[in-house]
Every structure is written in structure tokens, then in C-alpha cells.
Amino acid sequence: MDMSRRTVIAGAAAAGLTAATIGTAHASGGRKPEKELFGKLADGTKVHRWSLENGGTRLKVLSYGGIVQSLEIPDRHGRYKNVALGFDNIDDYVASSPYFGALIGRYGNRIGKGQFTLDGKSYQLSVNDGANSLHGGAKGFDKHVWDVEGFTSGSDVGLVLHYTSIDGEMGYPGTLRAKVTYTLTGHGDWRIDYEATTDKATVVNLTSHVYWNLAGEGSGSIYDHELEIAAARFTPVDSGLIPTGELAGVAGTPFDFRRTKTVGRDIRVAHQQLLYGKGIDHNWVLDKGITAKPRHVATLRDPSSGRTLSIATTEPGLQFYSGNFLDGTLVGTGGHIYRQGDALCLETQHFPDSPNHPSFPSTVLRPGQTYRTSTVHSFGG
Ligand code: GLA
């Protein structure tokens, strides 16, 4: 038995929970993912919800946008909460989701004016964030129904998600075939492996947009969560949140998370970058750059519940967004209103606007190459 399961059982026993209450979290190996109808789009397309459980983690994923609709993990007493913001119905996702839990493509984050030049050709992308293109444009990968298959493999369970984006979609060149694998390991880790190929030179930057609140979605602010990010630099932005190109040191700024501090500690410091972001909405330049295997880059902890999230990635950047645009107009899964700072996102990625910054790690993908990145989320209680 691994450590994380032992912790879950000990915690559950301490809290007086029965095996029935904690479900099959301790069964050896995982059950094959199960699928149910979640809803239908306006044109009648069915959206399914897949349920996975392994190593003490419970994950629910929609075929629409590959959305993590719910992710439940135990606290220090073995009590489960859903720690990912979302909705309980498809209509709200279609009408008003700010990318809750979604897969983001073709390009996570912003591209200035939605323009870039590649091999001497200029491209104009769909512009959907002021003058800029955000998260793939008006209809990004988060707004398409993916083909989904469930699998079990050894002690892992998971889903393979496919989406093919046709040449010219949202202004991007090339037919891009994306494959994303969500794996729940026997330790309860949620791993994401992204792959893509193209038939013309293009740019690609895939990520996942889970809004975390380790005390439980709808439970209030994340300003008391403690965060550590292994990054000595970040990419300062202009008023439209496009990087200036500078890699600035975090030392002596509110952006220094090299030693654990609370999210809220410096969030009201009158720093120009926090004014631009209405809080934190910035890309950290991860110390180790691109790596062949995922390595630890950030740890988030909620002191009230003891729940922790540790992130490892192969990616060079991490967008930390402190939920600044949540404005009290959305009602989440548990029936509560989401307000500013009620969740945060930690999006592993290449840097924003890389196609217009030759000095940033390249996001170009060419025919014959395979785009591959991986991110692992590990949980503790
Ligand atoms: C990303 C962006 C933010 C915001 C959210 C969605 O994290 O960086 O500025 O657009 O997505 O609201």
C-alpha cells in the first residue's frame, strides 16, 4: 500500500467514516471509467461526463472541452470536497464559463493583436480579449466536444481525448491533431500528457484551466492558501497583459513566491503589474526551463483543511491567475456564488505571446514533429 492511501485510510478512520462513505478510494487498482449523459448542446450534440476514481482521488470530466467538472480529494481527516470550480449543467458552461476546468488550445494565454508571422507569412487570429487573442480565440478547444475513450492500464485509469482542429480554424495555419491523456494513478495523481501534430508549420501551446480552491469550490477566498513557485523571474506585461519581453527578477516584488507565502499577503501592494492584472495574472519563468520529465514547480496548501496540490511539469512557464475576473455573477456546482479571489489557476505553459518574442522558448510546431508536454498534479491531505 502506498503512503497516500495509508494517509487517506488513517484520516478516514480518525474522522469516523465508514468504507461506504469513502467509496472505493482504497480498492487496489482503478475501476474502468464510467460514462453518463451530462446534457445536450443547442444543436442536439450529446455531452458525456466520465467518472474516474483511483488512489483516493475522484475526477469527473466532460467530453465538452475536456472539462474537469469536479475533482474531489480528502482533507487531513479524510473528508472529501470538490476543489475545482465548475457548473452542474452544460448550459452554464456554454453560456458563461471563464474556462472553468477546460483544456485550452490552440494557444493557451494571449497573442498580441492576434497576429504573428511565421516563415514570412502573416496570420490574423480570432481576437476575443480587447485587441488580443486569448486561449485560442472566440471558439477555442474548450468549446468543442472531444472524442473520449476510457482506459485502465496496470494501476492507472484514465481517458484519452482527441480533437482535430481544421486548417485555418480561428486563423491558425495547419490541421492540428491534438491528443490529451488524463491519467489517475494508483497514488491519486492526476497526470496530463499533451500531444499534437500538424500538416503545416503552426504555433501551439496547450494547457489546462482548473480553478483551484483547496477548501472546496464555493467556500470563499483563496487568499489564505499558501503557495510556493520555483521561479526567480516572471514576464512583466503591458496594460493588455501582453509580455513586454523582459524577464524580470521576482526578488523584492509581490511576485516572489520562492519561499512559501500566502496568496493574499502582497496582493494589495500598489505595484504597477498588479494594477494591470487586477491582481495576479502573470507568467512565471520556471527555473529549470523545459525538461524531458516533469519536475516539481509549485506547491499550493490550504492550511484550514490541510489539502495540498503539488505541480510538476515539463513546461518552461506557469501562469498564476488569482481569479480576478470572478465577479459574483456565476453560481457554481454547489449552488454558491463565485466572487473575486474565490479560486486560482496554475496553468503550465509556454510564455504568452511567444510567437512575437523570438527570445522566448519557441511554440512553433512543424510537419513531422510531435508536440509533447506533461503536467502532474499530486494531492495530499
Ligand atoms: C487566463 C488569463 C486571465 C483570464 C482567465 C479567464 O488565466 O490569463 O487573464 O482571462 O484566463 O478569465
Side-chain angles (χ1 to χ4, degrees), residues 97-99 104 109-110 129 134-135 209 211 241 277 280-282 319-322 324-326 345 347 349:
S97 178
Y99 307 97
I104 306 294
N109 219 309
R110 293 174 175 78
D129 184 56
L134 173 67
H135 294 334
H209 209 298
Y211 283 69
L241 302 185
I280 297 169
D281 194 354
H282 293 79
Q319 182 82 8
F320 165 21
Y321 166 58
S322 57
N324 315 324
F325 303 125
L326 296 172
C345 302
E347 305 154 53
Q349 56 170 16

Side-chain angles (χ1 to χ4, degrees), residues 8-141:
V8 170
I9 291 174
L17 300 180
T18 64
T21 322
I22 54 180
T24 56
H26 321 310
S28 65
R31 257 196 331 231
K32 187 137 197 277
E34 284 165 15
K35 150 175 141 169
E36 64 189 324
L37 186 65
F38 185 67
K40 286 185 184 169
L41 303 182
D43 67 0
T45 307
K46 288 180 180 164
V47 172
H48 291 103
R49 178 169 71 170
W50 291 78
S51 298
L52 294 74
E53 180 163 359
N54 205 6
T57 301
R58 303 169 180 165
L59 180 65
K60 291 194 195 310
V61 175
L62 305 183
S63 53
Y64 181 79
I67 286 171
V68 169
Q69 190 249 343
S70 167
L71 195 152
E72 291 181 47
I73 50 171
D75 69 3
R76 60 166 74 87
H77 301 300
R79 286 184 295 234
Y80 278 81
K81 280 259 170 84
N82 172 15
V83 295
L85 271 58
F87 296 120
D88 66 359
N89 67 90
I90 190 62
D91 292 347
D92 284 349
Y93 278 107
V94 173
S96 51
S97 178
Y99 307 97
F100 284 154
L103 284 173
I104 306 294
R106 294 187 187 192
Y107 198 98
N109 219 309
R110 293 174 175 78
I111 296 183
K113 300 191 176 69
Q115 294 172 350
F116 68 97
T117 301
L118 179 59
D119 297 340
K121 274 194 216 159
S122 296
Y123 296 95
Q124 177 63 58
L125 307 172
S126 155
V127 163
N128 60 334
D129 184 56
N132 303 318
S133 186
L134 173 67
H135 294 334
K139 190 169 182 185
F141 287 11

